[in-house]
Amino acid sequence: MSLPKTEKIWHNGKFIRWDDAKIHVLSHVIHYGSGVFEGIRCYHTEQGPAIFRLREHMQRLLNSGHIYRMDTSFSLDELCKAALDLVQENKLGACYIRPIVFRGYGDVGVDPSGCPIEVYMACWEWGKYLGHEALQGGVDVCISSWNRPAPNTLPQMAKAAANYMNSQLIRMEAKANGYAEGIALDVNGYVSEGSGENVFVVMDGSVTTPPLANSALPGITRQSITTICHDLGIPVAEQMIPREMLYIADEVFMCGTAAEITPVRTVDRVKVGTGARGLVTKRIQDEFFAITSGKKADRHNWLSPVGTPATAPVLR
Ligand SMILES: Cc1ncc(COP(=O)(O)O)c(C=O)c1O
């Protein structure tokens, strides 16, 4: 797969050409993983393209930077506007937006204080992360032999580039063993999250997800699902989840900007529920996609419309 190029990338407040968005090999981020980033979806709606939960993503970006003492000179409003302008500038409809803040070229040493903080934002056309069929039919996942980082090691409330070395181990191992994804446990053996998704369990009509203290990212889709459950009258709570609960649950699903809401049909080759997408998962999915497609009212103001109607093809 190669990245579908667009015309422009946003860099420190200016648009530059895609091919000019290059950094030096001695940039701090390359050696020490000193970057924080976001993954954001822009959806096609009947009213034109609209970015899902833009402010929440940009706030998490600022929070991630703050944790690592990487505050930028850009405000929340400026970053949100940059994302909207970027999609418009590239004449895209449905797409993926990737802002990143990192320590650039200056000094090579662990102490990053001599390196400038760079902010880039790119966007490109993007389809379904785990495939179209996954959203309906579900995926087969395993429990990873890799744990998520323990508390007070790498902060998991930051969406930091360095965290994704752990995610890569989880993902590569899952793929090598024929699974679509891996779910990692935390340092105490409780369910944490997937390599790029939060995890939900449905049992006896109630929905639960691990608390952030189990080394899970404060996922924005996770938070949206909690709100949707409240709206639909489905009981929802944060709860520590032992590994074996995944095997005996009625339904399990994973969620994230990339995976959206993906049912899990087996865990470690053990069938979950009926081994097909469950009814509660479908209800939540239907509501989520009705809102993100603009078919249902955006009652929580989750969508930020991009200026002009899209001319690009619609990705579904
Ligand atoms: C490790 C990890 N957990 C959870 C998520 C889901 O977060 P969100 O719903 O904000 O995309 C992601 C995706 O960004 C992730 O990489």
Side-chain angles (χ1 to χ4, degrees):
M1 190 196 111
S2 74
L3 213 47
K5 258 193 201 183
T6 61
E7 236 175 86
K8 296 283 168 61
I9 284 181
W10 185 94
H11 175 220
N12 291 346
K14 295 201 175 73
F15 288 111
I16 58 173
R17 288 177 48 240
W18 176 283
D19 288 335
D20 294 336
K22 292 181 178 148
I23 62 168
H24 197 278
V25 70
L26 293 177
S27 299
H28 196 271
V29 62
I30 292 188
H31 301 259
Y32 305 112
S34 39
V36 294
F37 69 95
E38 274 305 314
I40 311 174
R41 259 190 205 266
C42 178
Y43 281 94
H44 168 79
T45 78
E46 275 147 33
Q47 299 76 39
I51 304 180
F52 184 65
R53 309 216 63 179
L54 176 58
R55 284 188 83 76
E56 290 81 0
H57 278 284
M58 290 305 184
Q59 184 59 59
R60 189 172 63 185
L61 181 70
L62 293 176
N63 294 349
S64 300
H66 194 63
I67 290 169
Y68 279 99
R69 303 174 194 231
M70 288 167 61
D71 292 313
T72 80
S73 55
F74 296 102
S75 67
L76 179 59
D77 283 339
E78 285 168 336
L79 291 172
C80 291
K81 182 171 181 314
L84 292 164
D85 290 349
L86 179 70
V87 175
Q88 196 171 359
E89 183 81 16
N90 284 311
K91 301 184 186 63
L92 286 184
C95 62
Y96 183 77
I97 304 162
R98 166 58 58 86
I100 182 159
V101 178
F102 62 83
R103 307 266 192 193
Y105 172 77
D107 232 341
V108 177
V110 173
D111 175 7
S113 46
C115 301
I117 290 172
E118 306 277 0
V119 190
Y120 283 84
M121 210 181 295
C123 64
W124 59 88
E125 279 181 21
W126 213 42
K128 299 297 179 197
Y129 184 57
L130 297 170
H132 273 276
E133 322 72 52
L135 291 176
Q136 274 197 21
V139 291
D140 302 309
V141 308
C142 60
I143 300 298
S144 182
S145 71
W146 295 99
N147 287 359
R148 294 301 287 180
N152 214 23
T153 58
L154 286 173
Q156 295 302 301
M157 284 190 74
K159 191 171 167 68
N163 294 353
Y164 287 83
M165 292 299 278
N166 173 257
S167 286
Q168 286 173 61
L169 291 170
I170 296 166
R171 180 82 188 195
M172 289 188 297
E173 180 190 56
K175 192 171 161 194
N177 291 324
Y179 297 99
E181 182 55 292
I183 293 176
L185 307 178
D186 74 358
V187 69
N188 293 311
Y190 292 103
V191 172
S192 175
E193 61 178 353
S195 74
E197 306 85 8
N198 291 111
V199 176
F200 279 82
V201 166
V202 185
M203 257 183 126
D204 301 325
S206 294
V207 172
T208 53
T209 192
L212 301 185
N214 289 132
S215 299
L217 183 79
I220 288 159
T221 319
R222 171 186 183 272
Q223 198 275 324
S224 309
I225 288 169
T226 302
T227 302
I228 287 175
C229 285
H230 286 306
D231 291 353
L232 297 180
I234 301 171
V236 60
E238 290 187 356
Q239 187 193 297
M240 304 237 287
I241 299 176
R243 172 181 184 158
E244 60 275 21
M245 196 180 274
L246 300 178
Y247 304 144
I248 59 172
D250 298 323
E251 304 175 28
V252 173
F253 62 86
M254 295 190 302
C255 72
T257 298
E260 296 170 299
I261 300 174
T262 299
V264 170
R265 58 185 179 196
T266 63
V267 177
D268 295 335
R269 309 265 180 240
V270 177
K271 196 160 79 171
V272 177
T274 61
R277 175 176 61 181
L279 291 179
V280 176
T281 305
K282 182 171 185 309
R283 266 186 87 195
I284 298 169
Q285 266 186 337
D286 286 349
E287 194 66 15
F288 179 82
F289 288 120
I291 296 172
T292 54
S293 63
K295 292 198 175 82
K296 264 207 171 169
D298 180 20
R299 56 185 179 269
H300 298 295
N301 291 319
W302 283 347
L303 295 169
S304 301
V306 175
T308 41
T311 50
V314 176
L315 293 177
R316 285 198 188 277

